[in-house]
């Protein structure tokens, strides 16, 4: 083992897809790396910034699929750094937003390996932006909540959907499509009307990007009918109307009719 202090491991956010959304700091870290540990949501085009000689290890962890155990990834990062490698840990979006980056940074520090965090564009903000959807538009809301829809069975940490429904903020849900029925039910139980505008964007900023805009009441059926699947971001809130795509959504008229009935 190398006894000198290891090079810092760079936890790098690769952004949501399109390599043009990388930061200059991310590109610099990629150019210097000798080993890259890569999540499977990282766009392959990002890897072209690595040196030809860099070793690439894919450690994907897609929800529901066979995956590399987290402890293995952490041990591998530590071992490579201690061998004197310049390690980049490449994660989709931002490493500290639902990316387990915090746990990985803790494991590295506990092993005496310095850490540098390189922020990336998170899918929960860049995804809506791909629909020209301004998540905190002050004409509609005072803020935005980033929340995960994926929790283990019987998990105490399941978000309190009825409480979120009442907070009046834009809701941006990561990993939400698989449990969409339950999420919509919880939001409606908290009082969100079924005509609340909603949007889903999957594989944002990639050539496979697809989206749908509809009311909350139609969300589950729309996602099923359109075959929209993970990775996807779900946005719920009045601000969805600020997206120019909303004007083209077939559900506009029911929304306006409901609003007129309420008035
Ligand atoms: N650290 C990442 C999130 C990891 S969790 C970030 O900051 O973006 C994985 C979830 O992110 C996916 O299930 C999906 O909800 C979302 N996601 C990641 N990339 C996406 C993309 N290109 N389009 C839509 N959603 C995406």
């Amino acid at each position: 083992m190398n006894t000198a202090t290891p090079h810092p491991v760079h936890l790098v956010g690769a952004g949501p897809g399109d390599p043009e959304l990388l930061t200059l700091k991310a590109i610099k870290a990629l150019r210097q790396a000798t080993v890259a540990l890569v999540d499977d949501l990282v766009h392959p085009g990002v890897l072209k910034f690595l040196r030809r000689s860099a070793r690439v290890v894919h450690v994907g962890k897609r929800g529901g699929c066979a995956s590399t155990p987290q402890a293995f990834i952490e041990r591998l990062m530590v071992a490579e750094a201690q061998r004197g490698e310049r390690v980049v840990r490449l994660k989709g979006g931002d490493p500290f937003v639902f990316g387990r980056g915090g746990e990985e940074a803790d494991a590295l520090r506990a092993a005496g390996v310095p850490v540098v965090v390189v922020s990336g564009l998170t899918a929960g903000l860049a995804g809506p932006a791909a629909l020209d959807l301004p998540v905190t538009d002050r004409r509609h809301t005072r803020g935005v909540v980033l929340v995960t829809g994926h929790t283990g069975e019987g998990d105490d940490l399941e978000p309190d959907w009825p409480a979120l429904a009442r907070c009046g903020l834009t809701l941006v849900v990561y990993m939400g499509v698989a449990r969409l029925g339950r999420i919509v039910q919880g939001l409606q139980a908290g009082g969100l009307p079924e005509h609340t505008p909603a949007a889903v964007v999957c594989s944002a900023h990639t050539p496979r990007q697809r989206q749908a805009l509809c009311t909350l009441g139609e969300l589950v059926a729309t996602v099923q009918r359109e075959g929209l699947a993970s990775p996807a971001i779900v946005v719920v809130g009045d601000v969805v109307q600020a997206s120019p795509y909303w004007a083209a959504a077939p559900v506009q008229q029911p929304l306006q009719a409901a609003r007129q009935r309420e008035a």
Side-chain angles (χ1 to χ4, degrees):
M1 194 198 290
N2 198 334
T3 48
T5 306
H7 298 295
V9 169
H10 286 67
L11 293 183
V12 176
D18 185 351
E20 291 201 1
L21 296 178
L22 282 168
T23 64
L24 293 176
K25 267 197 178 168
I27 292 173
K28 193 170 158 196
L30 288 168
R31 287 199 173 132
Q32 289 173 347
T34 55
V35 176
L37 276 63
V38 182
D39 269 356
D40 53 11
L41 278 181
V42 172
H43 192 280
V46 168
L47 304 183
K48 69 172 189 257
F49 292 103
L50 288 165
R51 301 177 192 187
R52 273 167 193 264
S53 56
R55 191 152 38 90
V56 177
V57 186
H58 289 276
V59 290
K61 314 202 293 100
R62 283 298 272 278
C65 301
S67 63
T68 315
Q70 186 65 25
F72 175 82
I73 297 172
E74 290 169 9
R75 276 202 305 274
L76 186 61
M77 282 192 301
V78 169
E80 297 288 0
Q82 285 175 341
R83 282 177 43 195
E85 301 287 358
R86 291 179 185 272
V87 181
V88 154
R89 172 75 174 106
L90 251 185
K91 303 172 83 68
D94 184 278
F96 276 0
V97 181
F98 303 124
R100 301 188 79 163
E103 290 159 58
E104 295 182 8
D106 281 351
L108 288 161
R109 288 191 204 104
V113 178
V115 180
V116 174
V117 179
V118 180
S119 303
L121 258 182
T122 189
L125 300 178
L131 308 181
D132 292 344
L133 197 170
V135 285
T136 63
D137 191 311
R138 51 176 271 160
R139 292 166 295 181
H140 297 282
T141 186
R142 287 290 167 264
V144 58
V145 175
L146 306 183
V147 60
T148 176
H150 173 82
T151 51
E153 281 309 313
D155 192 336
D156 290 345
L157 294 176
E158 160 113 32
D160 184 343
W161 299 110
L164 287 170
R166 287 187 287 267
C167 74
L169 303 174
T170 306
L171 303 179
V172 167
V173 186
Y174 293 66
M175 297 170 272
V177 282
R179 311 190 81 209
L180 201 53
R182 192 181 160 87
I183 294 168
V184 169
Q185 222 177 24
L187 294 175
Q188 290 189 328
L192 268 193
E194 66 175 32
H195 56 75
T196 306
V200 180
V201 53
C202 57
S203 298
H205 298 284
T206 78
R208 297 182 310 281
Q209 176 178 319
R210 293 181 58 212
Q211 64 268 341
L213 291 86
C214 61
T215 61
L216 187 63
E218 290 172 319
L219 192 57
V220 173
T222 304
V223 164
Q224 271 166 7
R225 189 180 61 241
E226 302 289 324
L228 300 178
S230 177
I233 290 291
V234 179
V235 187
V236 178
D238 281 343
V239 81
V240 171
Q241 297 166 77
S243 162
Y245 288 76
W246 180 258
V251 292
Q252 254 227 45
Q253 280 149 15
L255 173 74
Q256 276 165 359
R259 289 267 150 85
Q260 274 158 13
R261 277 198 304 277
E262 271 175 8

